[in-house]
Amino acid sequence: MELRSVEELMSLLHACRGAWDAPDRSGDPVDLHDHALQTAHLLRRSHPSDKELQVAGLVHDLGHLLHPGDDAGHAHHAAIAVHPLLGDRVARLVQLHVPAKRYLATAEPGRPLSPQSALTLGLQGGTMTPREADAFARDPLAEAAVTLRQADDAGKVVGLDAGVMDDWRPVLELVAAAHTSGG
């Protein structure tokens, strides 16, 4: 699936309410809707001028909705879906949020992960080899991807009010318009 309009994306984001990262709900304690809002909210607070990073936080786990149960491929599926609408940088950040988890698990052994993230780390390749970690660190988007990953890890709090999805429509429209106008 490739998203072509903010309306299509908003419908998909709203469909995340009651959808979980694990089809049997054994995963993280919040649904994909609340997780998206919390991740984007944390990124808005820490990087208020980086709208693309915030949007990447909002859409990074859409692959769980598009292909339930594909933990290893969820970032790729989400990146493919958002690329036509939101552009290269957002799609790359979405794609990189899993390698960023692997990188952080390598660079910071013992770093706490949610039980579901710890479980899926193995499915996603486990910790990085020194060569993989070095290559990741040299990626121009590595720092932003790590920031996204840290917000991803923190955005799993039951009952946290991080706003409503419709508040993100203007930001999505702004990022989509910048992409389609070549800016």
Side-chain angles (χ1 to χ4, degrees), residues 13-51:
L13 288 166
H14 282 293
C16 287
R17 181 165 299 286
W20 301 81
D21 60 339
D24 64 359
R25 291 189 58 174
S26 65
D28 289 322
V30 295
D31 66 12
L32 294 173
H33 178 273
D34 289 351
H35 176 57
L37 286 172
Q38 289 180 28
T39 303
H41 173 76
L42 290 167
L43 292 165
R44 178 184 275 168
R45 281 192 3 214
S46 66
H47 293 77
S49 64
D50 193 341
K51 303 301 185 209

PDB file of all heavy atoms in Angstrom, residues 13-51:
ATOM      1  N   LEU A  13      -4.223   6.112  10.379  1.00  0.00           N
ATOM      2  CA  LEU A  13      -3.838   6.429  11.752  1.00  0.00           C
ATOM      3  C   LEU A  13      -5.010   6.233  12.720  1.00  0.00           C
ATOM      4  O   LEU A  13      -4.831   5.707  13.816  1.00  0.00           O
ATOM      5  CB  LEU A  13      -3.295   7.857  11.843  1.00  0.00           C
ATOM      6  CG  LEU A  13      -1.911   8.054  11.228  1.00  0.00           C
ATOM      7  CD1 LEU A  13      -1.605   9.536  11.046  1.00  0.00           C
ATOM      8  CD2 LEU A  13      -0.842   7.373  12.068  1.00  0.00           C
ATOM      9  N   HIS A  14      -6.203   6.625  12.304  1.00  0.00           N
ATOM     10  CA  HIS A  14      -7.383   6.399  13.149  1.00  0.00           C
ATOM     11  C   HIS A  14      -7.665   4.903  13.310  1.00  0.00           C
ATOM     12  O   HIS A  14      -8.125   4.460  14.362  1.00  0.00           O
ATOM     13  CB  HIS A  14      -8.610   7.118  12.592  1.00  0.00           C
ATOM     14  CG  HIS A  14      -8.631   8.588  12.882  1.00  0.00           C
ATOM     15  ND1 HIS A  14      -8.772   9.097  14.153  1.00  0.00           N
ATOM     16  CD2 HIS A  14      -8.497   9.659  12.065  1.00  0.00           C
ATOM     17  CE1 HIS A  14      -8.738  10.415  14.108  1.00  0.00           C
ATOM     18  NE2 HIS A  14      -8.569  10.786  12.852  1.00  0.00           N
ATOM     19  N   ALA A  15      -7.360   4.119  12.282  1.00  0.00           N
ATOM     20  CA  ALA A  15      -7.570   2.666  12.352  1.00  0.00           C
ATOM     21  C   ALA A  15      -6.609   1.998  13.338  1.00  0.00           C
ATOM     22  O   ALA A  15      -6.802   0.835  13.695  1.00  0.00           O
ATOM     23  CB  ALA A  15      -7.406   2.041  10.962  1.00  0.00           C
ATOM     24  N   CYS A  16      -5.602   2.733  13.784  1.00  0.00           N
ATOM     25  CA  CYS A  16      -4.655   2.190  14.768  1.00  0.00           C
ATOM     26  C   CYS A  16      -5.265   2.086  16.164  1.00  0.00           C
ATOM     27  O   CYS A  16      -4.720   1.399  17.026  1.00  0.00           O
ATOM     28  CB  CYS A  16      -3.392   3.059  14.820  1.00  0.00           C
ATOM     29  SG  CYS A  16      -2.331   2.882  13.381  1.00  0.00           S
ATOM     30  N   ARG A  17      -6.404   2.761  16.400  1.00  0.00           N
ATOM     31  CA  ARG A  17      -7.057   2.634  17.701  1.00  0.00           C
ATOM     32  C   ARG A  17      -7.561   1.205  17.828  1.00  0.00           C
ATOM     33  O   ARG A  17      -8.263   0.686  16.974  1.00  0.00           O
ATOM     34  CB  ARG A  17      -8.212   3.611  17.859  1.00  0.00           C
ATOM     35  CG  ARG A  17      -8.842   3.452  19.236  1.00  0.00           C
ATOM     36  CD  ARG A  17      -9.753   4.567  19.674  1.00  0.00           C
ATOM     37  NE  ARG A  17      -9.178   5.869  19.786  1.00  0.00           N
ATOM     38  CZ  ARG A  17      -8.343   6.306  20.747  1.00  0.00           C
ATOM     39  NH1 ARG A  17      -7.924   5.462  21.662  1.00  0.00           N
ATOM     40  NH2 ARG A  17      -7.912   7.538  20.774  1.00  0.00           N
ATOM     41  N   GLY A  18      -7.136   0.543  18.888  1.00  0.00           N
ATOM     42  CA  GLY A  18      -7.545  -0.842  19.116  1.00  0.00           C
ATOM     43  C   GLY A  18      -6.716  -1.857  18.349  1.00  0.00           C
ATOM     44  O   GLY A  18      -6.984  -3.046  18.433  1.00  0.00           O
ATOM     45  N   ALA A  19      -5.700  -1.390  17.584  1.00  0.00           N
ATOM     46  CA  ALA A  19      -4.776  -2.297  16.893  1.00  0.00           C
ATOM     47  C   ALA A  19      -3.477  -2.325  17.694  1.00  0.00           C
ATOM     48  O   ALA A  19      -3.072  -1.326  18.271  1.00  0.00           O
ATOM     49  CB  ALA A  19      -4.515  -1.807  15.463  1.00  0.00           C
ATOM     50  N   TRP A  20      -2.841  -3.479  17.711  1.00  0.00           N
ATOM     51  CA  TRP A  20      -1.682  -3.667  18.584  1.00  0.00           C
ATOM     52  C   TRP A  20      -0.471  -4.115  17.788  1.00  0.00           C
ATOM     53  O   TRP A  20      -0.602  -4.634  16.676  1.00  0.00           O
ATOM     54  CB  TRP A  20      -2.027  -4.685  19.675  1.00  0.00           C
ATOM     55  CG  TRP A  20      -3.191  -4.216  20.479  1.00  0.00           C
ATOM     56  CD1 TRP A  20      -4.517  -4.324  20.149  1.00  0.00           C
ATOM     57  CD2 TRP A  20      -3.163  -3.486  21.699  1.00  0.00           C
ATOM     58  NE1 TRP A  20      -5.297  -3.720  21.102  1.00  0.00           N
ATOM     59  CE2 TRP A  20      -4.491  -3.203  22.075  1.00  0.00           C
ATOM     60  CE3 TRP A  20      -2.130  -3.056  22.530  1.00  0.00           C
ATOM     61  CZ2 TRP A  20      -4.817  -2.502  23.233  1.00  0.00           C
ATOM     62  CZ3 TRP A  20      -2.446  -2.363  23.690  1.00  0.00           C
ATOM     63  CH2 TRP A  20      -3.784  -2.090  24.031  1.00  0.00           C
ATOM     64  N   ASP A  21       0.702  -3.956  18.382  1.00  0.00           N
ATOM     65  CA  ASP A  21       1.933  -4.373  17.713  1.00  0.00           C
ATOM     66  C   ASP A  21       2.041  -5.889  17.614  1.00  0.00           C
ATOM     67  O   ASP A  21       2.777  -6.402  16.779  1.00  0.00           O
ATOM     68  CB  ASP A  21       3.163  -3.778  18.402  1.00  0.00           C
ATOM     69  CG  ASP A  21       3.308  -4.178  19.850  1.00  0.00           C
ATOM     70  OD1 ASP A  21       2.308  -4.585  20.469  1.00  0.00           O
ATOM     71  OD2 ASP A  21       4.426  -4.069  20.384  1.00  0.00           O
ATOM     72  N   ALA A  22       1.328  -6.606  18.447  1.00  0.00           N
ATOM     73  CA  ALA A  22       1.264  -8.068  18.372  1.00  0.00           C
ATOM     74  C   ALA A  22      -0.209  -8.447  18.212  1.00  0.00           C
ATOM     75  O   ALA A  22      -1.047  -8.007  18.995  1.00  0.00           O
ATOM     76  CB  ALA A  22       1.834  -8.695  19.639  1.00  0.00           C
ATOM     77  N   PRO A  23      -0.541  -9.225  17.189  1.00  0.00           N
ATOM     78  CA  PRO A  23      -1.949  -9.541  16.936  1.00  0.00           C
ATOM     79  C   PRO A  23      -2.685 -10.136  18.134  1.00  0.00           C
ATOM     80  O   PRO A  23      -3.883  -9.935  18.293  1.00  0.00           O
ATOM     81  CB  PRO A  23      -1.884 -10.541  15.776  1.00  0.00           C
ATOM     82  CG  PRO A  23      -0.600 -10.239  15.085  1.00  0.00           C
ATOM     83  CD  PRO A  23       0.350  -9.798  16.177  1.00  0.00           C
ATOM     84  N   ASP A  24      -1.961 -10.827  19.023  1.00  0.00           N
ATOM     85  CA  ASP A  24      -2.621 -11.430  20.185  1.00  0.00           C
ATOM     86  C   ASP A  24      -2.599 -10.507  21.415  1.00  0.00           C
ATOM     87  O   ASP A  24      -2.955 -10.926  22.510  1.00  0.00           O
ATOM     88  CB  ASP A  24      -1.979 -12.777  20.526  1.00  0.00           C
ATOM     89  CG  ASP A  24      -0.515 -12.641  20.956  1.00  0.00           C
ATOM     90  OD1 ASP A  24       0.019 -11.513  20.973  1.00  0.00           O
ATOM     91  OD2 ASP A  24       0.098 -13.673  21.267  1.00  0.00           O
ATOM     92  N   ARG A  25      -2.169  -9.258  21.233  1.00  0.00           N
ATOM     93  CA  ARG A  25      -2.108  -8.230  22.285  1.00  0.00           C
ATOM     94  C   ARG A  25      -1.120  -8.583  23.394  1.00  0.00           C
ATOM     95  O   ARG A  25      -1.221  -8.081  24.498  1.00  0.00           O
ATOM     96  CB  ARG A  25      -3.486  -7.957  22.882  1.00  0.00           C
ATOM     97  CG  ARG A  25      -4.421  -7.272  21.899  1.00  0.00           C
ATOM     98  CD  ARG A  25      -5.684  -6.822  22.536  1.00  0.00           C
ATOM     99  NE  ARG A  25      -5.414  -5.897  23.634  1.00  0.00           N
ATOM    100  CZ  ARG A  25      -6.347  -5.245  24.301  1.00  0.00           C
ATOM    101  NH1 ARG A  25      -7.599  -5.406  23.988  1.00  0.00           N
ATOM    102  NH2 ARG A  25      -6.032  -4.426  25.289  1.00  0.00           N
ATOM    103  N   SER A  26      -0.149  -9.425  23.064  1.00  0.00           N
ATOM    104  CA  SER A  26       0.852  -9.791  24.064  1.00  0.00           C
ATOM    105  C   SER A  26       2.014  -8.798  24.096  1.00  0.00           C
ATOM    106  O   SER A  26       2.924  -8.929  24.902  1.00  0.00           O
ATOM    107  CB  SER A  26       1.404 -11.192  23.759  1.00  0.00           C
ATOM    108  OG  SER A  26       2.100 -11.183  22.517  1.00  0.00           O
ATOM    109  N   GLY A  27       1.980  -7.807  23.211  1.00  0.00           N
ATOM    110  CA  GLY A  27       3.102  -6.888  23.070  1.00  0.00           C
ATOM    111  C   GLY A  27       3.050  -5.703  24.012  1.00  0.00           C
ATOM    112  O   GLY A  27       2.756  -5.844  25.197  1.00  0.00           O
ATOM    113  N   ASP A  28       3.314  -4.534  23.466  1.00  0.00           N
ATOM    114  CA  ASP A  28       3.384  -3.331  24.279  1.00  0.00           C
ATOM    115  C   ASP A  28       2.026  -2.986  24.881  1.00  0.00           C
ATOM    116  O   ASP A  28       0.986  -3.373  24.358  1.00  0.00           O
ATOM    117  CB  ASP A  28       3.943  -2.178  23.442  1.00  0.00           C
ATOM    118  CG  ASP A  28       5.426  -2.357  23.155  1.00  0.00           C
ATOM    119  OD1 ASP A  28       6.143  -2.838  24.048  1.00  0.00           O
ATOM    120  OD2 ASP A  28       5.859  -2.020  22.042  1.00  0.00           O
ATOM    121  N   PRO A  29       2.038  -2.236  26.007  1.00  0.00           N
ATOM    122  CA  PRO A  29       0.809  -2.032  26.780  1.00  0.00           C
ATOM    123  C   PRO A  29      -0.165  -0.992  26.217  1.00  0.00           C
ATOM    124  O   PRO A  29      -1.237  -0.812  26.774  1.00  0.00           O
ATOM    125  CB  PRO A  29       1.331  -1.588  28.152  1.00  0.00           C
ATOM    126  CG  PRO A  29       2.635  -0.920  27.854  1.00  0.00           C
ATOM    127  CD  PRO A  29       3.208  -1.686  26.689  1.00  0.00           C
ATOM    128  N   VAL A  30       0.203  -0.307  25.139  1.00  0.00           N
ATOM    129  CA  VAL A  30      -0.705   0.663  24.525  1.00  0.00           C
ATOM    130  C   VAL A  30      -0.949   0.260  23.075  1.00  0.00           C
ATOM    131  O   VAL A  30      -0.106  -0.388  22.452  1.00  0.00           O
ATOM    132  CB  VAL A  30      -0.145   2.109  24.597  1.00  0.00           C
ATOM    133  CG1 VAL A  30      -0.039   2.586  26.039  1.00  0.00           C
ATOM    134  CG2 VAL A  30       1.193   2.238  23.894  1.00  0.00           C
ATOM    135  N   ASP A  31      -2.100   0.657  22.547  1.00  0.00           N
ATOM    136  CA  ASP A  31      -2.378   0.332  21.147  1.00  0.00           C
ATOM    137  C   ASP A  31      -1.534   1.219  20.234  1.00  0.00           C
ATOM    138  O   ASP A  31      -0.867   2.159  20.678  1.00  0.00           O
ATOM    139  CB  ASP A  31      -3.875   0.393  20.842  1.00  0.00           C
ATOM    140  CG  ASP A  31      -4.502   1.781  20.928  1.00  0.00           C
ATOM    141  OD1 ASP A  31      -3.774   2.798  21.003  1.00  0.00           O
ATOM    142  OD2 ASP A  31      -5.738   1.858  20.920  1.00  0.00           O
ATOM    143  N   LEU A  32      -1.550   0.898  18.948  1.00  0.00           N
ATOM    144  CA  LEU A  32      -0.727   1.628  17.977  1.00  0.00           C
ATOM    145  C   LEU A  32      -1.113   3.100  17.898  1.00  0.00           C
ATOM    146  O   LEU A  32      -0.256   3.960  17.654  1.00  0.00           O
ATOM    147  CB  LEU A  32      -0.841   0.973  16.597  1.00  0.00           C
ATOM    148  CG  LEU A  32      -0.268  -0.428  16.476  1.00  0.00           C
ATOM    149  CD1 LEU A  32      -0.597  -1.029  15.107  1.00  0.00           C
ATOM    150  CD2 LEU A  32       1.234  -0.429  16.721  1.00  0.00           C
ATOM    151  N   HIS A  33      -2.373   3.413  18.106  1.00  0.00           N
ATOM    152  CA  HIS A  33      -2.867   4.792  18.087  1.00  0.00           C
ATOM    153  C   HIS A  33      -2.216   5.609  19.197  1.00  0.00           C
ATOM    154  O   HIS A  33      -1.622   6.664  18.946  1.00  0.00           O
ATOM    155  CB  HIS A  33      -4.397   4.759  18.231  1.00  0.00           C
ATOM    156  CG  HIS A  33      -5.049   6.081  18.286  1.00  0.00           C
ATOM    157  ND1 HIS A  33      -5.224   6.777  19.463  1.00  0.00           N
ATOM    158  CD2 HIS A  33      -5.607   6.841  17.307  1.00  0.00           C
ATOM    159  CE1 HIS A  33      -5.845   7.909  19.210  1.00  0.00           C
ATOM    160  NE2 HIS A  33      -6.085   7.972  17.905  1.00  0.00           N
ATOM    161  N   ASP A  34      -2.314   5.124  20.432  1.00  0.00           N
ATOM    162  CA  ASP A  34      -1.736   5.862  21.560  1.00  0.00           C
ATOM    163  C   ASP A  34      -0.217   5.901  21.472  1.00  0.00           C
ATOM    164  O   ASP A  34       0.409   6.908  21.810  1.00  0.00           O
ATOM    165  CB  ASP A  34      -2.176   5.248  22.889  1.00  0.00           C
ATOM    166  CG  ASP A  34      -3.650   5.513  23.183  1.00  0.00           C
ATOM    167  OD1 ASP A  34      -4.284   6.311  22.457  1.00  0.00           O
ATOM    168  OD2 ASP A  34      -4.176   4.907  24.129  1.00  0.00           O
ATOM    169  N   HIS A  35       0.385   4.816  20.992  1.00  0.00           N
ATOM    170  CA  HIS A  35       1.836   4.778  20.838  1.00  0.00           C
ATOM    171  C   HIS A  35       2.297   5.822  19.816  1.00  0.00           C
ATOM    172  O   HIS A  35       3.283   6.534  20.037  1.00  0.00           O
ATOM    173  CB  HIS A  35       2.283   3.378  20.436  1.00  0.00           C
ATOM    174  CG  HIS A  35       3.750   3.264  20.173  1.00  0.00           C
ATOM    175  ND1 HIS A  35       4.716   3.596  21.115  1.00  0.00           N
ATOM    176  CD2 HIS A  35       4.423   2.875  19.059  1.00  0.00           C
ATOM    177  CE1 HIS A  35       5.917   3.406  20.593  1.00  0.00           C
ATOM    178  NE2 HIS A  35       5.766   2.969  19.348  1.00  0.00           N
ATOM    179  N   ALA A  36       1.592   5.937  18.699  1.00  0.00           N
ATOM    180  CA  ALA A  36       1.931   6.927  17.678  1.00  0.00           C
ATOM    181  C   ALA A  36       1.841   8.342  18.255  1.00  0.00           C
ATOM    182  O   ALA A  36       2.755   9.162  18.067  1.00  0.00           O
ATOM    183  CB  ALA A  36       1.003   6.787  16.472  1.00  0.00           C
ATOM    184  N   LEU A  37       0.751   8.633  18.952  1.00  0.00           N
ATOM    185  CA  LEU A  37       0.576   9.960  19.545  1.00  0.00           C
ATOM    186  C   LEU A  37       1.654  10.265  20.572  1.00  0.00           C
ATOM    187  O   LEU A  37       2.201  11.377  20.599  1.00  0.00           O
ATOM    188  CB  LEU A  37      -0.808  10.082  20.193  1.00  0.00           C
ATOM    189  CG  LEU A  37      -1.987  10.217  19.243  1.00  0.00           C
ATOM    190  CD1 LEU A  37      -3.297  10.140  20.018  1.00  0.00           C
ATOM    191  CD2 LEU A  37      -1.895  11.522  18.455  1.00  0.00           C
ATOM    192  N   GLN A  38       1.962   9.305  21.421  1.00  0.00           N
ATOM    193  CA  GLN A  38       2.976   9.529  22.454  1.00  0.00           C
ATOM    194  C   GLN A  38       4.355   9.740  21.844  1.00  0.00           C
ATOM    195  O   GLN A  38       5.100  10.641  22.258  1.00  0.00           O
ATOM    196  CB  GLN A  38       3.007   8.351  23.440  1.00  0.00           C
ATOM    197  CG  GLN A  38       1.789   8.299  24.341  1.00  0.00           C
ATOM    198  CD  GLN A  38       1.837   7.136  25.308  1.00  0.00           C
ATOM    199  OE1 GLN A  38       2.901   6.673  25.690  1.00  0.00           O
ATOM    200  NE2 GLN A  38       0.658   6.653  25.709  1.00  0.00           N
ATOM    201  N   THR A  39       4.705   8.940  20.855  1.00  0.00           N
ATOM    202  CA  THR A  39       6.021   9.066  20.219  1.00  0.00           C
ATOM    203  C   THR A  39       6.145  10.432  19.541  1.00  0.00           C
ATOM    204  O   THR A  39       7.141  11.143  19.728  1.00  0.00           O
ATOM    205  CB  THR A  39       6.244   7.923  19.209  1.00  0.00           C
ATOM    206  OG1 THR A  39       6.099   6.666  19.880  1.00  0.00           O
ATOM    207  CG2 THR A  39       7.618   8.006  18.575  1.00  0.00           C
ATOM    208  N   ALA A  40       5.128  10.812  18.779  1.00  0.00           N
ATOM    209  CA  ALA A  40       5.160  12.109  18.097  1.00  0.00           C
ATOM    210  C   ALA A  40       5.181  13.264  19.098  1.00  0.00           C
ATOM    211  O   ALA A  40       5.892  14.257  18.901  1.00  0.00           O
ATOM    212  CB  ALA A  40       3.960  12.224  17.151  1.00  0.00           C
ATOM    213  N   HIS A  41       4.420  13.134  20.162  1.00  0.00           N
ATOM    214  CA  HIS A  41       4.374  14.170  21.205  1.00  0.00           C
ATOM    215  C   HIS A  41       5.754  14.365  21.836  1.00  0.00           C
ATOM    216  O   HIS A  41       6.208  15.503  22.039  1.00  0.00           O
ATOM    217  CB  HIS A  41       3.343  13.782  22.257  1.00  0.00           C
ATOM    218  CG  HIS A  41       3.303  14.668  23.453  1.00  0.00           C
ATOM    219  ND1 HIS A  41       2.735  15.917  23.430  1.00  0.00           N
ATOM    220  CD2 HIS A  41       3.775  14.488  24.706  1.00  0.00           C
ATOM    221  CE1 HIS A  41       2.866  16.474  24.628  1.00  0.00           C
ATOM    222  NE2 HIS A  41       3.490  15.621  25.411  1.00  0.00           N
ATOM    223  N   LEU A  42       6.426  13.275  22.161  1.00  0.00           N
ATOM    224  CA  LEU A  42       7.774  13.360  22.744  1.00  0.00           C
ATOM    225  C   LEU A  42       8.737  14.036  21.775  1.00  0.00           C
ATOM    226  O   LEU A  42       9.577  14.849  22.186  1.00  0.00           O
ATOM    227  CB  LEU A  42       8.275  11.973  23.127  1.00  0.00           C
ATOM    228  CG  LEU A  42       7.563  11.318  24.312  1.00  0.00           C
ATOM    229  CD1 LEU A  42       7.905   9.838  24.395  1.00  0.00           C
ATOM    230  CD2 LEU A  42       7.918  12.032  25.609  1.00  0.00           C
ATOM    231  N   LEU A  43       8.635  13.721  20.501  1.00  0.00           N
ATOM    232  CA  LEU A  43       9.509  14.332  19.502  1.00  0.00           C
ATOM    233  C   LEU A  43       9.168  15.807  19.294  1.00  0.00           C
ATOM    234  O   LEU A  43      10.073  16.620  19.077  1.00  0.00           O
ATOM    235  CB  LEU A  43       9.432  13.555  18.190  1.00  0.00           C
ATOM    236  CG  LEU A  43      10.037  12.147  18.273  1.00  0.00           C
ATOM    237  CD1 LEU A  43       9.625  11.302  17.083  1.00  0.00           C
ATOM    238  CD2 LEU A  43      11.558  12.225  18.407  1.00  0.00           C
ATOM    239  N   ARG A  44       7.907  16.153  19.388  1.00  0.00           N
ATOM    240  CA  ARG A  44       7.516  17.567  19.280  1.00  0.00           C
ATOM    241  C   ARG A  44       8.123  18.363  20.434  1.00  0.00           C
ATOM    242  O   ARG A  44       8.597  19.483  20.240  1.00  0.00           O
ATOM    243  CB  ARG A  44       5.991  17.698  19.291  1.00  0.00           C
ATOM    244  CG  ARG A  44       5.497  19.147  19.238  1.00  0.00           C
ATOM    245  CD  ARG A  44       3.998  19.234  19.348  1.00  0.00           C
ATOM    246  NE  ARG A  44       3.419  19.067  18.022  1.00  0.00           N
ATOM    247  CZ  ARG A  44       2.127  18.865  17.795  1.00  0.00           C
ATOM    248  NH1 ARG A  44       1.276  18.746  18.808  1.00  0.00           N
ATOM    249  NH2 ARG A  44       1.686  18.750  16.575  1.00  0.00           N
ATOM    250  N   ARG A  45       8.117  17.778  21.621  1.00  0.00           N
ATOM    251  CA  ARG A  45       8.692  18.462  22.788  1.00  0.00           C
ATOM    252  C   ARG A  45      10.202  18.598  22.681  1.00  0.00           C
ATOM    253  O   ARG A  45      10.760  19.631  23.020  1.00  0.00           O
ATOM    254  CB  ARG A  45       8.338  17.719  24.072  1.00  0.00           C
ATOM    255  CG  ARG A  45       6.924  18.003  24.538  1.00  0.00           C
ATOM    256  CD  ARG A  45       6.604  17.521  25.937  1.00  0.00           C
ATOM    257  NE  ARG A  45       7.680  16.909  26.672  1.00  0.00           N
ATOM    258  CZ  ARG A  45       7.539  15.921  27.535  1.00  0.00           C
ATOM    259  NH1 ARG A  45       6.348  15.422  27.757  1.00  0.00           N
ATOM    260  NH2 ARG A  45       8.569  15.430  28.184  1.00  0.00           N
ATOM    261  N   SER A  46      10.874  17.552  22.230  1.00  0.00           N
ATOM    262  CA  SER A  46      12.343  17.580  22.204  1.00  0.00           C
ATOM    263  C   SER A  46      12.918  18.247  20.949  1.00  0.00           C
ATOM    264  O   SER A  46      14.027  18.777  20.990  1.00  0.00           O
ATOM    265  CB  SER A  46      12.912  16.160  22.327  1.00  0.00           C
ATOM    266  OG  SER A  46      12.590  15.376  21.201  1.00  0.00           O
ATOM    267  N   HIS A  47      12.173  18.221  19.838  1.00  0.00           N
ATOM    268  CA  HIS A  47      12.631  18.785  18.567  1.00  0.00           C
ATOM    269  C   HIS A  47      11.483  19.556  17.903  1.00  0.00           C
ATOM    270  O   HIS A  47      10.958  19.138  16.870  1.00  0.00           O
ATOM    271  CB  HIS A  47      13.134  17.680  17.645  1.00  0.00           C
ATOM    272  CG  HIS A  47      14.375  17.022  18.142  1.00  0.00           C
ATOM    273  ND1 HIS A  47      14.381  16.102  19.163  1.00  0.00           N
ATOM    274  CD2 HIS A  47      15.666  17.187  17.767  1.00  0.00           C
ATOM    275  CE1 HIS A  47      15.620  15.720  19.384  1.00  0.00           C
ATOM    276  NE2 HIS A  47      16.420  16.369  18.571  1.00  0.00           N
ATOM    277  N   PRO A  48      11.080  20.677  18.500  1.00  0.00           N
ATOM    278  CA  PRO A  48       9.874  21.382  18.027  1.00  0.00           C
ATOM    279  C   PRO A  48       9.939  21.881  16.584  1.00  0.00           C
ATOM    280  O   PRO A  48       8.902  22.038  15.948  1.00  0.00           O
ATOM    281  CB  PRO A  48       9.725  22.547  19.006  1.00  0.00           C
ATOM    282  CG  PRO A  48      11.040  22.683  19.687  1.00  0.00           C
ATOM    283  CD  PRO A  48      11.704  21.343  19.636  1.00  0.00           C
ATOM    284  N   SER A  49      11.133  22.101  16.051  1.00  0.00           N
ATOM    285  CA  SER A  49      11.214  22.617  14.684  1.00  0.00           C
ATOM    286  C   SER A  49      11.355  21.518  13.630  1.00  0.00           C
ATOM    287  O   SER A  49      11.265  21.804  12.438  1.00  0.00           O
ATOM    288  CB  SER A  49      12.390  23.594  14.556  1.00  0.00           C
ATOM    289  OG  SER A  49      13.606  22.912  14.788  1.00  0.00           O
ATOM    290  N   ASP A  50      11.536  20.274  14.035  1.00  0.00           N
ATOM    291  CA  ASP A  50      11.733  19.178  13.084  1.00  0.00           C
ATOM    292  C   ASP A  50      10.410  18.438  12.850  1.00  0.00           C
ATOM    293  O   ASP A  50      10.148  17.388  13.438  1.00  0.00           O
ATOM    294  CB  ASP A  50      12.824  18.226  13.581  1.00  0.00           C
ATOM    295  CG  ASP A  50      13.302  17.258  12.498  1.00  0.00           C
ATOM    296  OD1 ASP A  50      12.568  17.065  11.501  1.00  0.00           O
ATOM    297  OD2 ASP A  50      14.390  16.679  12.677  1.00  0.00           O
ATOM    298  N   LYS A  51       9.608  19.001  11.986  1.00  0.00           N
ATOM    299  CA  LYS A  51       8.280  18.428  11.704  1.00  0.00           C
ATOM    300  C   LYS A  51       8.390  17.044  11.069  1.00  0.00           C
ATOM    301  O   LYS A  51       7.573  16.165  11.339  1.00  0.00           O
ATOM    302  CB  LYS A  51       7.467  19.344  10.786  1.00  0.00           C
ATOM    303  CG  LYS A  51       7.265  20.749  11.314  1.00  0.00           C
ATOM    304  CD  LYS A  51       6.563  20.773  12.637  1.00  0.00           C
ATOM    305  CE  LYS A  51       6.273  22.197  13.069  1.00  0.00           C
ATOM    306  NZ  LYS A  51       6.239  22.354  14.511  1.00  0.00           N
TER     307      LYS A  51
END
